[in-house]
Amino acid sequence: MACWYEGPLAAFDTETTGVDVETDRIVSAAVVVQDAPGARPRVIRWLVNPGVPVPEAATAVHGLTDEHLQRNGRWPAPVMHEIAAELAAQAAVNRPIVVMNAPFDLTLLDRELRRHRASSLDHWFETTPMLVLDPRVLDKHLDRYRKGRRTLTDLCEHYGVTLDGAHEAAADALASLEVVRAVGRRFAARLERLSPAELHTLQAVWHAAQARGLQAWFARSGNDEAVDPAWPLRPDLPAAAA
């Protein structure tokens, strides 16, 4: 029987107005589904009019302007419902979902659901849990002493994955999916006996350890920035943006 990294996978990615999960908004998103390595992926894209101005710094990253989103984007409420429903549909057929830096994208989606749907991401996975594979967490744990950054672009270069059109949600989602397959093959001896459910649980532990290490490094550097150990979804904060 094929290992999980040679089987069906889905991937999720967003582009946003910024990097604060409590206040920033989703402007585009994509879910990519691939039944087997090399198979043609099925892609679902969403373009969102966030209802707030898009900072120039964000537009410089993903190229989506206020004017373009106002003309072509949909209102957030139905889009967030559709995204959550699609992720739940993937979970219902036990297809693991690849999310690069999952606490960012999934928490942002959760906050958008709360903001526009009076719902939450957890609500969609009460019966069938979402099994997340995070290439950043996997790579940092399995090759922890490698120096250098671990952005998606860096991981693609390291694992020989082509990334066409970086910072476009579908392109980034597909690249993340291919990176996870590459990680699985490179570290097959350590991963092939683990199920996606077991890996999901382990990644929560690994991410927490990674967060503690980064927090300690920040403290030594005189940086008081807090590092959240929660994975794949940060807990709701009382002051979450409304």
Side-chain angles (χ1 to χ4, degrees):
M1 185 174 179
C3 297
W4 57 264
Y5 49 82
E6 302 293 359
L9 293 175
F12 171 61
D13 189 74
T14 66
E15 297 300 329
T16 69
T17 60
V19 297
D20 187 334
V21 296
E22 301 299 337
T23 60
D24 280 305
R25 312 297 176 90
I26 293 173
V27 296
S28 70
V31 171
V32 174
V33 180
Q34 188 182 50
D35 292 328
R40 184 174 180 175
R42 303 188 299 279
V43 180
I44 306 171
R45 292 180 173 89
W46 294 270
L47 192 65
V48 186
N49 179 352
V52 299
V54 180
E56 291 183 4
T59 296
V61 173
H62 49 60
L64 298 171
T65 64
D66 275 330
E67 181 181 6
H68 180 74
L69 293 171
Q70 288 169 11
R71 285 186 176 183
N72 303 287
R74 297 168 57 203
W75 288 113
V79 171
M80 301 313 151
H81 178 91
E82 291 172 15
I83 295 172
E86 182 59 36
L87 294 177
Q90 300 304 322
V93 295
N94 296 313
R95 185 174 286 121
I97 301 172
V98 176
V99 190
M100 173 72 183
N101 191 17
F104 177 78
D105 291 85
L106 295 182
T107 304
L108 194 56
L109 175 58
D110 175 77
R111 302 314 191 246
E112 289 278 56
L113 287 166
R114 293 172 185 270
R115 183 179 293 120
H116 297 291
R117 302 290 306 188
S119 180
S120 70
L121 192 58
D122 285 339
H123 168 75
W124 288 87
F125 300 96
E126 291 175 346
T127 56
T128 306
M130 177 167 48
L131 302 178
V132 177
L133 298 171
D134 188 332
R136 186 169 180 267
V137 173
L138 291 170
D139 174 72
K140 286 184 73 173
H141 178 77
L142 295 163
D143 197 0
R144 68 183 67 183
Y145 299 114
R146 187 178 82 250
K147 296 186 182 300
R149 301 190 312 162
R150 300 183 194 237
T151 66
L152 179 58
T153 300
D154 298 318
L155 294 184
C156 286
E157 181 177 354
H158 181 71
Y159 288 99
V161 171
T162 299
L163 174 55
D164 292 326
H167 300 297
E168 190 276 323
D172 286 356
L174 180 59
S176 298
L177 187 153
E178 295 293 355
V179 167
V180 161
R181 293 199 191 280
V183 170
R185 293 175 189 129
R186 184 168 299 187
F187 297 98
R190 299 166 66 180
L191 294 177
E192 62 184 357
R193 294 176 183 241
L194 295 171
S195 69
E198 291 169 327
L199 263 179
H200 181 100
T201 300
L202 286 170
Q203 285 171 101
V205 176
W206 297 344
H207 179 270
Q210 293 162 9
R212 288 194 297 271
L214 181 58
Q215 191 74 76
W217 185 83
F218 279 167
R220 292 193 298 271
S221 305
N223 187 336
D224 60 0
E225 180 180 349
V227 182
D228 197 320
W231 184 97
L233 180 66
R234 296 177 187 172
D236 185 35
L237 300 177

